[in-house]
Amino acid sequence: MEMEKRISLELRNKTPAEVAELVVDNCRSSDGEVEGLSDDYKELEFLSMVNVGLTSLAKLPSLPKLLKLEISDNMIVGGLDQLSEKCPNLTYLNLSGNKIKELSTVKPLKNLKNLKSLDLYSCEITTLEDYRESVFELLPQVTFLDGYDHEDNEVPDSEADDDDNEGLDSEADDDDEHTAGPTRDGDDDEDDEGSEGEEVGLSYLMKDGIQDEEDDDDYVEEEEEEDGVQGEKRKRDAEDEGDDSDGDDD
């Protein structure tokens, strides 16, 4: 897709003056120049034109509020003096993957007084001896080069990201509190019901056990009574037989 058409689509029914962030990565510049942008984008703070075939920044419009510029993976060989003229307030610049070979090419960036982070990896300039020391010396306002400071400490997350994360964490904590409240009550109810069920079940089993013991006692008593009746009957039969024997003898 051509860059100019892509930019018009990214407007999403906004006017250029209302746009603060614009990403047009992987579209195509027809002549290697910036296309579709104008001085009307006066509120633009973030611009990303990664892999769009740029060879020059000569047609970059004036963007006085631009803070972050992503133009990696293009074919830019020089002309970086345009940045200090068109984007004087840049704090972050990503030029990685371009055709930058010499320290003299990045020298104009010293006029970007607010530039704190510069990325040049995958550029031929990074193969120079003492590359990092030389760039830090040439651009003393730069704190981070290719993601690390002069002492090889990695660039920290931005304060804005930290604030966003804190906001999300707070919302998550609130959601957890709202969710946890009724869940705990529900668990208590279930525990109470479970305890009652266990008590009822235990009482029922104990009752059955008592009933079984009573039934067993009744059964034993009945057996004893039957044994007693049978014993008395056998005794009477024996006595009758004795009487009969006495009668025969007479």
Side-chain angles (χ1 to χ4, degrees):
M1 183 184 293
E2 293 181 358
M3 181 183 290
E4 191 169 357
K5 183 177 181 181
R6 173 69 179 277
I7 290 176
S8 65
L9 290 174
E10 292 295 332
L11 284 176
R12 305 179 191 279
N13 297 320
K14 293 182 179 179
T15 64
E18 296 174 316
V19 178
E21 181 175 321
L22 185 61
V23 178
V24 293
D25 299 345
N26 303 310
C27 62
R28 191 55 49 193
S29 169
S30 60
D31 59 0
E33 298 282 356
V34 176
E35 300 172 339
L37 287 178
S38 67
D39 293 345
D40 293 333
Y41 289 83
K42 56 186 178 181
E43 298 297 323
L44 198 62
E45 297 180 0
F46 176 83
L47 175 60
S48 182
M49 298 184 290
V50 175
N51 188 33
V52 298
L54 291 179
T55 59
S56 171
L57 297 173
K59 293 185 179 180
L60 186 70
S62 177
L63 303 170
K65 290 191 176 182
L66 193 68
L67 301 177
K68 296 183 178 182
L69 179 60
E70 292 263 6
I71 46 177
S72 59
D73 299 327
N74 286 290
M75 296 176 287
I76 297 170
V77 295
L80 300 184
D81 54 309
Q82 298 289 331
L83 294 176
S84 59
E85 296 176 11
K86 306 292 181 63
C87 315
N89 292 309
L90 274 183
T91 61
Y92 171 81
L93 175 62
N94 189 345
L95 288 166
S96 59
N98 279 281
K99 306 297 182 181
I100 298 172
K101 301 178 181 181
E102 305 293 337
L103 286 171
S104 58
T105 305
V106 299
K107 186 176 181 179
L109 298 179
K110 68 180 181 180
N111 294 320
L112 290 170
K113 303 301 182 181
N114 296 320
L115 187 64
K116 299 300 180 185
S117 182
L118 174 64
D119 289 337
L120 293 169
Y121 39 72
S122 295
C123 292
E124 193 172 336
I125 188 177
T126 60
T127 64
L128 296 177
E129 187 177 356
D130 297 328
Y131 150 71
R132 290 181 59 81
E133 290 78 3
S134 298
V135 172
F136 278 123
E137 183 178 352
L138 186 64
L139 306 173
Q141 81 276 28
V142 171
T143 303
F144 297 99
L145 177 61
D146 301 334
Y148 293 86
D149 66 12
H150 197 281
E151 298 179 351
D152 290 332
N153 296 312
E154 190 172 4
V155 60
D157 294 335
S158 67
E159 294 180 1
D161 290 341
D162 291 341
D163 293 340
D164 292 341
N165 290 335
E166 288 176 3
L168 292 174
D169 291 341
S170 299
E171 292 177 3
D173 291 340
D174 292 341
D175 291 341
D176 289 342
E177 289 177 1
H178 291 311
T179 304
T183 302
R184 286 196 293 270
D185 293 342
D187 290 342
D188 292 342
D189 293 341
E190 291 178 1
D191 291 342
D192 293 342
E193 291 176 0
S195 299
E196 292 176 1
E198 290 176 0
E199 292 176 0
V200 172
L202 183 60
S203 299
Y204 181 76
L205 292 173
M206 292 177 65
K207 182 178 180 182
D208 282 352
I210 294 171
Q211 186 64 45
D212 290 342
E213 291 177 2
E214 292 176 352
D215 292 344
D216 291 342
D217 292 340
D218 293 342
Y219 181 72
V220 171
E221 290 176 0
E222 290 176 0
E223 285 185 343
E224 290 176 351
E225 289 177 358
E226 290 179 358
D227 291 342
V229 171
Q230 291 178 357
E232 291 178 0
K233 183 178 180 181
R234 284 195 295 272
K235 182 178 181 182
R236 285 196 298 271
D237 290 343
E239 290 175 354
D240 291 342
E241 289 179 359
D243 291 343
D244 290 341
S245 297
D246 293 339
D248 293 340
D249 294 338
D250 293 342

